[in-house]
């Protein structure tokens, strides 16, 4: 993922984004790539571990619209009924790109 995806120009002003959603052919659920700090990223599959609903992103957490589970941006359970953390992926970055290791 190009690091430039984390900034967009709107009305001649650069707006920085904290996350980017990525769809892959291998999954019905998107991956959220979250910028946690300068050159640090967390990637989580947006599939709730409770009943497999797609999670919403906002306010620095992932929230399940089906039953209310909440997860941190690093995939840790913050609020049940989910009792397992999200599937996460190792990331790495160079000067231009962020790499997500899906396996």
């Amino acid at each position: 993922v190009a690091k430039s995806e984390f900034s967009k120009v709107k009305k001649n002003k650069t707006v920085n984004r904290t996350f980017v959603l990525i769809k892959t052919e291998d999954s019905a659920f998107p991956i959220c790539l979250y910028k946690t700090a300068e050159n640090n990223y967390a990637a989580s599959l947006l599939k709730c571990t409770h009943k497999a609903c797609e999670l919403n992103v906002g306010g620095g957490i992932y929230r399940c619209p089906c039953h209310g589970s909440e997860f941190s941006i690093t995939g840790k359970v913050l609020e049940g009924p989910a009792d397992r953390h999200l599937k996460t992926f190792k990331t790495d970055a160079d000067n231009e790109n962020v790499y997500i290791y899906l396996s």
Side-chain angles (χ1 to χ4, degrees), residues 68-71 76-83:
S69 293
E70 294 181 351
F71 302 86
K76 306 282 188 242
V77 175
L78 298 174
E79 182 77 32
D83 59 2

Side-chain angles (χ1 to χ4, degrees), residues 32-101:
C32 185
L33 181 61
Y34 220 103
K35 186 174 184 177
T36 59
E38 190 61 37
N39 222 33
N40 287 324
Y41 300 86
S44 299
L45 186 65
L46 295 183
K47 179 181 179 183
C48 185
T49 56
H50 175 239
K51 295 284 185 182
C53 292
E54 185 172 323
L55 301 173
N56 295 325
V57 183
I61 62 171
Y62 303 132
R63 182 174 291 118
C64 182
C66 297
H67 301 104
S69 293
E70 294 181 351
F71 302 86
S72 72
I73 59 172
T74 58
K76 306 282 188 242
V77 175
L78 298 174
E79 182 77 32
D83 59 2
R84 289 178 289 125
H85 302 312
L86 298 178
K87 179 175 183 176
T88 58
F89 305 94
K90 181 183 180 310
T91 63
D92 198 8
D94 62 22
N95 289 336
E96 296 178 11
N97 298 298
V98 179
Y99 303 93
I100 302 169
Y101 300 94

